[in-house]
Amino acid sequence: MGIYPQPCPWLMTTMKDVAKATGLSLATVSRVFNGSDKVTEKTRKSVLKAAEKLNFRPNKMAAALRSGKSKTVGVVVPIIDNDVFSSAIKSMESHLREAGYHIIICQSHESLAAEVEIIQNLLNLQVDGVIISVSKETTDMAHMDSLKAQGTSIVLFDRKLEFEEVNSVIINNYNGGYQATAHLIEQGCKRIVHLAGKESVSIFKERKRGFENALQDHGLSYSEKDIISFEEDEALGREELIGLLSGNNRPDGIFAHGDISALVAVGVLKELNLRVPEDVAIIGFGDATFCSFLSPPLSSVNQRNEDIGKLAASILLEQLEEKKEGQVFTQSMLPPELIVRESSTKNI
């Protein structure tokens, strides 16, 4: 005891080596690293001193897998470089870390094929749970069946599809679209254009429905030309917007399905020498960090990303730690918050 052989640099030091160096049993050494209260303080210090001398680091992942829990959660998002998802991930990680879990962050880049591959990889890693916002290409959840079959807990967030026995956390996108459009109407806008997202994605479909119903409820008409498919990298939508703004009966309001689309629209307005909001009022969706730094600052619908992330993590933890028979799965829908700034305030 007290004499520690120097570990060979090409060999991995094991718990057995620590046990041999201390003269203790492997079970006792294991109890020390597992935080058991069945060892004395003297024994604990002796084991930790030996481990430090031998440069031993316990393999927590292997220990977790032996116990049947990896203590890891896979978080799958379309893209990380986005305020919506980065804010939600930050909140999830903080909440899960407090509960002793680590996260593996994966991005699908809006590709179904990539999402399927990610799910398989997470399955192979034996994660305890998956929190996912599906890609724009995802129209069903068949690739999730393998997770369910293995008993992996799943929570959908931000975007969702119909999937039995899965909890989801979203905001009320319909209400957000309605509020944004109603606000533009209250500012005196008579012809409002909607820069729409991909129709197959539920959140964009709901925002569009809110836009349409707000116009109808306020007695304003609209035509198909007033709804422009406006994916952020789609030049055609930009050209259609230029055409509308350059023609007769020019729109005096724009509601964009996302803040990046609103930013593109602001650029178009500047190219055409149109003032915001005097000539055209504009409002986005998402309340990205850059909104308050634009000139004029951009009005937007706050998606409560941190709240969604925390709630999704909380629901997943409940599933992981309880897993009760007959569990009731629910859809949690949070109300959005309209953030009014100068870009939409014609009357202020």
Side-chain angles (χ1 to χ4, degrees):
M1 294 178 66
I3 301 174
Y4 307 108
Q6 292 299 313
C8 296
W10 58 85
L11 293 178
M12 178 85 66
T13 305
T14 68
M15 201 176 293
K16 287 183 180 180
D17 296 321
V18 178
K20 184 177 180 181
T22 57
L24 299 168
S25 70
L26 182 60
T28 298
V29 173
S30 177
R31 289 191 192 101
V32 171
F33 289 113
N34 286 330
S36 173
D37 57 2
K38 294 182 180 180
V39 293
T40 66
E41 183 62 18
K42 181 180 178 181
T43 297
R44 188 184 72 82
K45 288 182 177 179
S46 175
V47 169
L48 294 179
K49 182 179 179 181
E52 183 179 358
K53 290 280 187 179
L54 294 171
N55 197 28
F56 171 72
R57 298 289 183 272
N59 188 333
K60 294 182 179 180
M61 178 63 78
L65 290 174
R66 285 194 297 271
S67 71
K69 281 191 174 184
S70 68
K71 301 297 283 187
T72 57
V73 172
V75 177
V76 187
V77 295
I79 187 168
I80 295 173
D81 188 17
N82 177 299
D83 270 10
V84 172
F85 300 120
S86 61
S87 297
I89 289 172
K90 180 180 179 182
S91 182
M92 288 175 196
E93 183 176 28
S94 175
H95 201 63
L96 290 167
R97 187 181 293 276
E98 288 180 5
Y101 287 82
H102 297 277
I103 69 171
I104 300 172
I105 304 170
C106 309
Q107 51 184 341
S108 66
H109 296 286
E110 301 289 9
S111 163
L112 173 59
E115 187 173 287
V116 170
E117 183 179 355
I118 287 167
I119 294 302
Q120 187 57 53
N121 288 338
L122 293 175
L123 191 66
N124 294 338
L125 289 170
Q126 300 182 52
V127 297
D128 295 323
V130 172
I131 303 176
I132 180 171
S133 180
V134 298
S135 78
K136 290 180 180 178
E137 293 182 355
T138 305
T139 56
D140 64 62
M141 303 295 288
H143 54 301
M144 294 289 186
D145 288 339
S146 55
L147 289 175
K148 288 182 64 179
Q150 187 165 291
T152 305
S153 298
I154 306 168
V155 175
L156 302 176
F157 82 102
D158 184 61
R159 306 175 187 173
K160 70 175 292 290
L161 297 170
E162 294 305 319
F163 192 33
E164 293 181 0
E165 298 183 352
V166 171
N167 285 307
S168 63
V169 182
I170 60 174
I171 65 159
N172 190 328
N173 286 281
Y174 168 82
N175 180 260
Y178 192 102
Q179 282 191 65
T181 307
H183 167 68
L184 290 173
I185 295 169
E186 290 165 2
Q187 295 300 307
C189 295
K190 301 299 183 184
R191 185 186 180 190
I192 303 172
V193 169
H194 177 45
L195 307 183
K198 194 169 184 176
E199 185 73 14
S200 62
V201 180
S202 61
I203 60 173
F204 301 141
K205 187 175 182 179
E206 286 298 288
R207 292 171 195 178
K208 175 187 170 185
R209 191 167 69 87
F211 163 78
E212 293 172 331
N213 284 1
L215 291 177
Q216 291 170 358
D217 290 349
H218 288 81
L220 294 180
S221 61
Y222 66 95
S223 67
E224 291 184 2
K225 290 182 179 180
D226 296 327
I227 299 176
I228 302 174
S229 179
F230 211 85
E231 291 297 304
E232 291 148 15
D233 58 352
E234 189 174 316
L236 180 60
R238 187 176 182 278
E239 292 304 312
E240 287 184 27
L241 178 60
I242 290 174
L244 282 181
L245 292 170
S246 301
N248 297 325
N249 189 26
R250 183 184 67 215
D252 54 2
I254 296 174
F255 164 47
H257 78 278
D259 289 331
I260 296 296
S261 294
L263 184 60
V264 173
V266 168
V268 169
L269 292 169
K270 288 184 178 181
E271 287 178 22
L272 298 174
N273 294 317
L274 294 172
R275 299 168 301 165
V276 179
E278 292 85 356
D279 297 320
V280 182
I282 186 166
I283 187 166
F285 206 111
D287 197 30
T289 303
F290 65 76
C291 290
S292 59
F293 296 105
L294 295 177
S295 181
L298 180 66
S299 295
S300 188
V301 178
N302 188 300
Q303 294 183 231
R304 301 181 59 186
N305 306 315
E306 292 187 5
D307 292 337
I308 284 181
K310 183 177 181 179
L311 182 55
S314 297
I315 290 172
L316 185 74
L317 287 173
E318 288 178 7
Q319 290 182 243
L320 291 173
E321 295 170 9
E322 296 179 12
K323 288 200 171 182
K324 295 179 179 178
E325 290 294 327
Q327 181 179 358
V328 177
F329 295 92
T330 60
Q331 173 180 285
S332 300
M333 183 179 290
L334 303 181
E337 181 183 3
L338 178 63
I339 307 298
V340 176
R341 300 188 178 96
E342 292 177 30
S343 72
S344 65
T345 50
K346 285 191 171 189
N347 294 337
I348 296 176

